[in-house]
Amino acid sequence: MEDKKIKINFSLQKLICFVAVILFFIKLITWYITSSISIFSDALESITNIISGFIGLYSLYVSSLPKDQNHPYGHGKIEFISTAIEGFLIFFVGIIIFIKIFIRVKNHETIFLLRLDYGIYLMSFTAIINYFLGIFACKIGNKNSALTLIASGKHLQIDTYSTFGIVIGLILLNITQWIWIDSIISVIFSSVILYTGLKLLRSAAAGIMDEYDKKLLKKLSFYINEKRNNHWIDLHHLKIIKYGSALHVDCHLTVPWFFNIKDANKEVQKLTKLTKDKFGNKVELSVHVDACKSNHCYICFNKLCKVRKNIFQKKILWTLDKTSYYNNNKRKDLIFINKNQYGI
């Protein structure tokens, strides 16, 4: 199953690379026909689509390699590096466009725009192709947990919106014949490019630095809370590290103190299976088992427990503020639970 997903991811990324090359030449020809700097800006941005497409293809290959002695957690981090390179290239293109606009304004260059109708038709065609390919890439990327495909899909969709903005500008330019509109469109478009580049760089840095992913932790916490059984008394110190499409999860699970090693291991296996059923086989769990204390009885809803020392008072929902590693550092040691910290 995983091999099939990898093949689909590779095939789609190859298609993205091929389409990026074709659309780049179409935009280049359109710029040559019209002499529009806004179209030239879009063509330059397409160069980053080509480069990032091939980098993405390579990163998919590397991230699919199995774990080895030198990479015990796999090769998934390469996807964050490829995203960082893509972000830098996009930001660099934005700077180049700004420089070209500045030189034109400073030297009072006069440009005669020609055949804008061709520009409108051809640019609209490239936008439509990018839009549907971007939607398809995001859909497959989410289905197969391929971050590179998701990034490529979003990049294509952003490219679509900016291209449509250029098309609207060309239509206005064709109607009014106000040449300065072309420069205004270029400034707006280059600003979007710079913002996109910075956003990708920020995303890549977050992945490389294992930044706290609130959305993913919240999703995992609520899912385990829905499926928890009577022997899972408390879940805390939950952490997630991303390795591309692979996830490494650390957590502490509190179970009855009278469980032997075999019993406790069964609960760990149940939690592991539960997580893999939701997030796929690329999830790796590292679970530390804690023995319950007498004060845990206040939140333990196991009615069959024969050694209960305190009366059950409240079932605690395993929300993000109760399970995550950061928030648990702010709580009192869970071994010495007091009723006030749970609102009992």
Side-chain angles (χ1 to χ4, degrees):
M1 186 65 178
E2 289 297 326
D3 290 339
K4 185 179 180 180
K5 287 183 179 180
I6 291 172
K7 288 180 180 179
I8 292 173
N9 294 343
F10 268 112
S11 299
L12 183 52
Q13 190 65 31
K14 285 179 182 178
L15 178 61
I16 290 173
C17 292
F18 175 75
V19 171
V21 173
I22 299 299
L23 295 186
F24 166 69
F25 281 109
I26 291 175
K27 291 178 181 180
L28 208 59
I29 293 169
T30 307
W31 167 65
Y32 179 78
I33 293 172
T34 62
S35 299
S36 169
I37 191 172
S38 58
I39 294 178
F40 172 73
S41 303
D42 203 19
L44 271 184
E45 205 273 336
S46 291
I47 296 176
T48 67
N49 288 349
I50 296 172
I51 297 173
S52 62
F54 282 101
I55 291 174
L57 190 64
Y58 176 72
S59 72
L60 280 176
Y61 163 71
V62 174
S63 63
S64 67
L65 295 175
K67 300 174 184 178
D68 55 37
Q69 186 175 356
N70 294 325
H71 305 88
Y73 292 101
H75 303 76
K77 288 285 186 182
I78 188 68
E79 294 194 27
F80 297 119
I81 297 174
S82 69
T83 301
I85 295 172
E86 181 178 349
F88 173 77
L89 290 172
I90 292 173
F91 186 81
F92 183 69
V93 166
I95 295 294
I96 290 176
I97 295 170
F98 261 118
I99 293 173
K100 187 170 181 63
I101 296 169
F102 176 77
I103 292 173
R104 173 179 288 188
V105 173
K106 183 181 179 181
N107 297 334
H108 304 287
E109 294 180 10
T110 302
I111 299 295
F112 296 97
L113 301 179
L114 307 170
R115 304 314 306 263
L116 290 179
D117 53 341
Y118 280 18
I120 292 169
Y121 297 143
L122 291 173
M123 294 300 286
S124 297
F125 171 76
T126 63
I128 292 170
I129 295 297
N130 272 336
Y131 180 72
F132 285 105
L133 186 58
I135 289 178
F136 186 59
C138 285
K139 182 179 179 180
I140 298 299
N142 284 312
K143 183 179 179 181
N144 295 345
S145 299
L147 298 180
T148 299
L149 278 182
I150 295 172
S152 296
K154 289 183 177 179
H155 190 174
L156 290 174
Q157 287 179 311
I158 291 171
D159 189 44
T160 298
Y161 303 143
S162 58
T163 302
F164 270 130
I166 290 173
V167 169
I168 292 171
L170 291 175
I171 293 172
L172 292 173
L173 184 59
N174 196 36
I175 295 172
T176 63
Q177 296 300 312
W178 293 340
I179 303 300
W180 54 267
I181 290 179
D182 189 51
S183 296
I184 296 297
I185 297 169
S186 301
V187 170
I188 295 172
F189 179 57
S190 56
S191 300
V192 173
I193 290 176
L194 289 172
Y195 173 76
T196 303
L198 287 173
K199 194 173 180 181
L200 284 173
L201 286 170
R202 175 69 181 83
S203 176
I208 293 171
M209 297 295 291
D210 298 322
E211 187 176 285
Y212 175 82
D213 191 329
K214 184 176 181 179
K215 185 178 180 180
L216 187 56
L217 281 168
K218 187 176 181 180
K219 184 178 180 181
L220 180 59
S221 296
F222 274 100
Y223 176 70
I224 296 176
N225 179 74
E226 290 177 357
K227 305 294 183 180
R228 64 198 278 192
N229 64 45
N230 293 344
H231 298 312
W232 299 354
I233 300 170
D234 195 59
L235 181 75
H236 51 281
H237 283 77
L238 181 65
K239 295 182 289 184
I240 296 179
I241 301 174
K242 293 181 181 178
Y243 292 89
S245 58
L247 298 174
H248 180 81
V249 180
D250 289 324
C251 66
H252 287 213
L253 180 66
T254 303
V255 297
W257 63 267
F258 50 83
F259 271 19
N260 58 35
I261 294 176
K262 186 176 180 180
D263 293 332
N265 188 54
K266 283 183 180 180
E267 299 307 318
V268 171
Q269 289 177 350
K270 289 177 184 178
L271 180 60
T272 301
K273 183 180 183 304
L274 186 71
T275 308
K276 287 182 179 291
D277 288 343
K278 177 67 174 179
F279 296 95
N281 290 325
K282 286 199 171 185
V283 175
E284 185 179 78
L285 251 70
S286 178
V287 182
H288 175 83
V289 177
D290 292 330
C292 70
K293 298 293 181 179
S294 59
N295 282 358
H296 279 100
C297 295
Y298 293 120
I299 62 171
C300 177
F301 56 92
N302 187 354
K303 297 178 180 179
L304 300 179
C305 181
K306 298 179 180 179
V307 292
R308 180 178 293 277
K309 295 183 179 181
N310 289 302
I311 299 173
F312 168 72
Q313 296 196 26
K314 185 178 181 179
K315 180 179 178 180
I316 302 301
L317 296 178
W318 289 347
T319 54
L320 183 61
D321 62 320
K322 293 291 190 298
T323 60
S324 73
Y325 177 81
Y326 173 72
N327 287 319
N328 272 282
N329 279 340
K330 296 190 294 184
R331 292 161 60 188
K332 294 183 178 181
D333 190 340
L334 290 174
I335 294 176
F336 304 104
I337 287 180
N338 63 63
K339 294 189 288 182
N340 290 331
Q341 82 181 69
Y342 286 107
I344 297 174

